[in-house]
PDB file of all heavy atoms in Angstrom:
ATOM      1  N   MET A 213      95.637  65.809 102.506  1.00 75.00           N
ATOM      2  CA  MET A 213      96.418  66.919 102.136  1.00 75.00           C
ATOM      3  C   MET A 213      97.566  66.565 101.241  1.00 75.00           C
ATOM      4  O   MET A 213      98.096  65.498 101.351  1.00 75.00           O
ATOM      5  CB  MET A 213      97.036  67.520 103.459  1.00 75.00           C
ATOM      6  CG  MET A 213      96.192  68.481 104.228  1.00 75.00           C
ATOM      7  SD  MET A 213      97.112  69.323 105.320  1.00 75.00           S
ATOM      8  CE  MET A 213      96.413  68.679 106.887  1.00 75.00           C
ATOM      9  N   ILE A 302     102.226  80.872 107.351  1.00 97.00           N
ATOM     10  CA  ILE A 302     101.543  79.660 107.033  1.00 97.00           C
ATOM     11  C   ILE A 302     100.074  79.796 107.783  1.00 97.00           C
ATOM     12  O   ILE A 302     100.022  80.100 108.869  1.00 97.00           O
ATOM     13  CB  ILE A 302     102.228  78.419 107.545  1.00 97.00           C
ATOM     14  CG1 ILE A 302     103.664  78.395 106.774  1.00 97.00           C
ATOM     15  CG2 ILE A 302     101.463  77.147 107.194  1.00 97.00           C
ATOM     16  CD1 ILE A 302     104.566  77.282 107.322  1.00 97.00           C
ATOM     17  N   GLU A 303      99.064  79.495 107.019  1.00 96.00           N
ATOM     18  CA  GLU A 303      97.750  79.424 107.486  1.00 96.00           C
ATOM     19  C   GLU A 303      97.794  78.547 108.787  1.00 96.00           C
ATOM     20  O   GLU A 303      98.372  77.501 108.836  1.00 96.00           O
ATOM     21  CB  GLU A 303      96.725  78.791 106.583  1.00 96.00           C
ATOM     22  CG  GLU A 303      96.323  79.835 105.483  1.00 96.00           C
ATOM     23  CD  GLU A 303      95.327  79.187 104.520  1.00 96.00           C
ATOM     24  OE1 GLU A 303      94.668  78.244 104.949  1.00 96.00           O
ATOM     25  OE2 GLU A 303      95.012  79.759 103.524  1.00 96.00           O
ATOM     26  N   LYS A 304      97.046  79.022 109.806  1.00 94.00           N
ATOM     27  CA  LYS A 304      96.986  78.320 111.141  1.00 94.00           C
ATOM     28  C   LYS A 304      96.772  76.820 111.034  1.00 94.00           C
ATOM     29  O   LYS A 304      97.367  76.073 111.670  1.00 94.00           O
ATOM     30  CB  LYS A 304      96.052  79.010 112.141  1.00 94.00           C
ATOM     31  CG  LYS A 304      96.521  80.167 112.749  1.00 94.00           C
ATOM     32  CD  LYS A 304      95.620  80.690 113.856  1.00 94.00           C
ATOM     33  CE  LYS A 304      96.177  82.065 114.509  1.00 94.00           C
ATOM     34  NZ  LYS A 304      95.233  82.439 115.537  1.00 94.00           N
ATOM     35  N   SER A 305      95.683  76.422 110.281  1.00 93.00           N
ATOM     36  CA  SER A 305      95.344  75.001 110.062  1.00 93.00           C
ATOM     37  C   SER A 305      96.484  74.190 109.629  1.00 93.00           C
ATOM     38  O   SER A 305      96.376  72.938 109.708  1.00 93.00           O
ATOM     39  CB  SER A 305      94.033  74.947 109.375  1.00 93.00           C
ATOM     40  OG  SER A 305      94.235  75.341 107.949  1.00 93.00           O
ATOM     41  N   TYR A 306      97.477  74.775 109.012  1.00 94.00           N
ATOM     42  CA  TYR A 306      98.614  73.932 108.468  1.00 94.00           C
ATOM     43  C   TYR A 306      99.935  73.972 109.315  1.00 94.00           C
ATOM     44  O   TYR A 306     100.941  73.374 108.929  1.00 94.00           O
ATOM     45  CB  TYR A 306      98.881  74.486 107.011  1.00 94.00           C
ATOM     46  CG  TYR A 306      97.926  74.212 106.023  1.00 94.00           C
ATOM     47  CD1 TYR A 306      96.838  74.973 105.797  1.00 94.00           C
ATOM     48  CD2 TYR A 306      97.999  73.067 105.264  1.00 94.00           C
ATOM     49  CE1 TYR A 306      95.813  74.821 104.955  1.00 94.00           C
ATOM     50  CE2 TYR A 306      96.955  72.589 104.260  1.00 94.00           C
ATOM     51  CZ  TYR A 306      95.876  73.526 104.158  1.00 94.00           C
ATOM     52  OH  TYR A 306      94.952  73.353 103.324  1.00 94.00           O
ATOM     53  N   ARG A 307      99.824  74.585 110.439  1.00 93.00           N
ATOM     54  CA  ARG A 307     101.027  74.667 111.343  1.00 93.00           C
ATOM     55  C   ARG A 307     100.979  73.479 112.349  1.00 93.00           C
ATOM     56  O   ARG A 307     100.863  73.577 113.572  1.00 93.00           O
ATOM     57  CB  ARG A 307     101.026  76.006 112.121  1.00 93.00           C
ATOM     58  CG  ARG A 307     100.998  77.202 111.337  1.00 93.00           C
ATOM     59  CD  ARG A 307     100.933  78.443 112.152  1.00 93.00           C
ATOM     60  NE  ARG A 307     100.464  79.633 111.365  1.00 93.00           N
ATOM     61  CZ  ARG A 307      99.958  80.742 111.941  1.00 93.00           C
ATOM     62  NH1 ARG A 307      99.992  80.891 113.259  1.00 93.00           N
ATOM     63  NH2 ARG A 307      99.632  81.736 111.126  1.00 93.00           N
ATOM     64  N   LYS A 308     101.038  72.324 111.785  1.00 89.00           N
ATOM     65  CA  LYS A 308     100.999  71.070 112.465  1.00 89.00           C
ATOM     66  C   LYS A 308     102.247  70.328 112.275  1.00 89.00           C
ATOM     67  O   LYS A 308     102.753  70.399 111.118  1.00 89.00           O
ATOM     68  CB  LYS A 308      99.873  70.241 112.118  1.00 89.00           C
ATOM     69  CG  LYS A 308      98.575  70.897 112.308  1.00 89.00           C
ATOM     70  CD  LYS A 308      97.359  70.083 111.782  1.00 89.00           C
ATOM     71  CE  LYS A 308      96.010  70.923 111.585  1.00 89.00           C
ATOM     72  NZ  LYS A 308      95.102  70.298 110.873  1.00 89.00           N
ATOM     73  N   GLY A 309     102.677  69.472 113.206  1.00 91.00           N
ATOM     74  CA  GLY A 309     103.841  68.572 113.000  1.00 91.00           C
ATOM     75  C   GLY A 309     104.964  69.316 112.620  1.00 91.00           C
ATOM     76  O   GLY A 309     105.332  70.455 113.046  1.00 91.00           O
ATOM     77  N   PHE A 310     105.843  68.731 111.696  1.00 92.00           N
ATOM     78  CA  PHE A 310     107.074  69.158 111.285  1.00 92.00           C
ATOM     79  C   PHE A 310     106.930  69.957 109.930  1.00 92.00           C
ATOM     80  O   PHE A 310     108.026  70.432 109.480  1.00 92.00           O
ATOM     81  CB  PHE A 310     108.111  68.104 111.182  1.00 92.00           C
ATOM     82  CG  PHE A 310     108.563  67.593 112.478  1.00 92.00           C
ATOM     83  CD1 PHE A 310     107.946  66.449 113.079  1.00 92.00           C
ATOM     84  CD2 PHE A 310     109.512  68.330 113.256  1.00 92.00           C
ATOM     85  CE1 PHE A 310     108.390  65.998 114.272  1.00 92.00           C
ATOM     86  CE2 PHE A 310     109.916  67.874 114.468  1.00 92.00           C
ATOM     87  CZ  PHE A 310     109.392  66.763 114.984  1.00 92.00           C
ATOM     88  N   MET A 311     105.727  70.095 109.326  1.00 92.00           N
ATOM     89  CA  MET A 311     105.614  70.731 108.076  1.00 92.00           C
ATOM     90  C   MET A 311     106.276  72.145 108.066  1.00 92.00           C
ATOM     91  O   MET A 311     107.068  72.439 107.102  1.00 92.00           O
ATOM     92  CB  MET A 311     104.248  70.760 107.577  1.00 92.00           C
ATOM     93  CG  MET A 311     104.049  71.365 106.044  1.00 92.00           C
ATOM     94  SD  MET A 311     104.084  72.976 105.988  1.00 92.00           S
ATOM     95  CE  MET A 311     102.535  73.501 106.490  1.00 92.00           C
ATOM     96  N   PRO A 312     106.049  72.917 109.059  1.00 93.00           N
ATOM     97  CA  PRO A 312     106.629  74.358 109.028  1.00 93.00           C
ATOM     98  C   PRO A 312     108.093  74.357 109.067  1.00 93.00           C
ATOM     99  O   PRO A 312     108.726  75.065 108.445  1.00 93.00           O
ATOM    100  CB  PRO A 312     105.986  75.040 110.175  1.00 93.00           C
ATOM    101  CG  PRO A 312     104.657  74.347 110.510  1.00 93.00           C
ATOM    102  CD  PRO A 312     104.988  72.817 110.135  1.00 93.00           C
ATOM    103  N   VAL A 313     108.680  73.434 109.860  1.00 92.00           N
ATOM    104  CA  VAL A 313     110.018  73.291 109.978  1.00 92.00           C
ATOM    105  C   VAL A 313     110.774  72.819 108.605  1.00 92.00           C
ATOM    106  O   VAL A 313     111.777  73.308 108.108  1.00 92.00           O
ATOM    107  CB  VAL A 313     110.519  72.234 110.991  1.00 92.00           C
ATOM    108  CG1 VAL A 313     112.046  71.954 111.031  1.00 92.00           C
ATOM    109  CG2 VAL A 313     110.136  72.768 112.359  1.00 92.00           C
TER     110      VAL A 313
END
Side-chain angles (χ1 to χ4, degrees):
M213 280 194 243
I302 299 171
E303 286 184 11
K304 280 187 178 184
S305 62
Y306 288 88
R307 297 178 203 165
K308 302 174 193 167
F310 287 99
M311 188 279 286
V313 173

